[in-house]
Amino acid sequence: MRKDELIKSTSEKMNQLDENHLSQVADFTEFLLRKQDEVSLQEGIHQLMQTSGTYDFLLEDEVTYSVEDCKVLYR
């Protein structure tokens, strides 16, 4: 079903609901919109992190430490 068909069908069904159930539909719609915005924001941040080069140092060789590098040894 296309988006406009879904909207029309859903709207017709919502017109049949009582006020309490319609309020629940509105709440659920708000929840879905917030979730969609959150996913979009996370994807944008991820894309920004990949292209910015800020974390390129993590691609360099890993620094390894040994026991000899410790100033104080705890047992």
Side-chain angles (χ1 to χ4, degrees):
M1 211 181 261
R2 294 187 346 218
K3 183 177 180 176
D4 57 339
E5 293 171 341
L6 273 172
I7 291 172
K8 182 180 178 189
S9 172
T10 303
S11 178
E12 290 170 358
K13 292 174 186 173
M14 286 177 16
N15 281 328
Q16 299 173 13
L17 293 174
D18 61 30
E19 191 172 325
N20 181 42
H21 287 102
L22 192 56
S23 176
Q24 291 177 16
V25 171
D27 290 344
F28 185 63
T29 303
E30 287 295 322
F31 165 76
L32 290 175
L33 288 172
R34 279 192 307 260
K35 187 174 179 181
Q36 179 177 304
D37 288 345
E38 186 177 302
V39 167
S40 178
L41 181 61
Q42 287 176 351
E43 289 173 353
I45 290 171
H46 186 260
Q47 181 66 25
L48 184 63
M49 287 174 53
Q50 284 184 326
T51 58
S52 71
T54 302
Y55 295 98
D56 286 349
F57 70 93
L58 295 174
L59 300 173
E60 297 172 5
D61 289 337
E62 182 179 318
V63 177
T64 55
Y65 296 99
S66 66
V67 175
E68 289 79 31
D69 296 320
C70 295
K71 291 183 179 181
V72 178
L73 296 178
Y74 292 97
R75 295 178 196 243

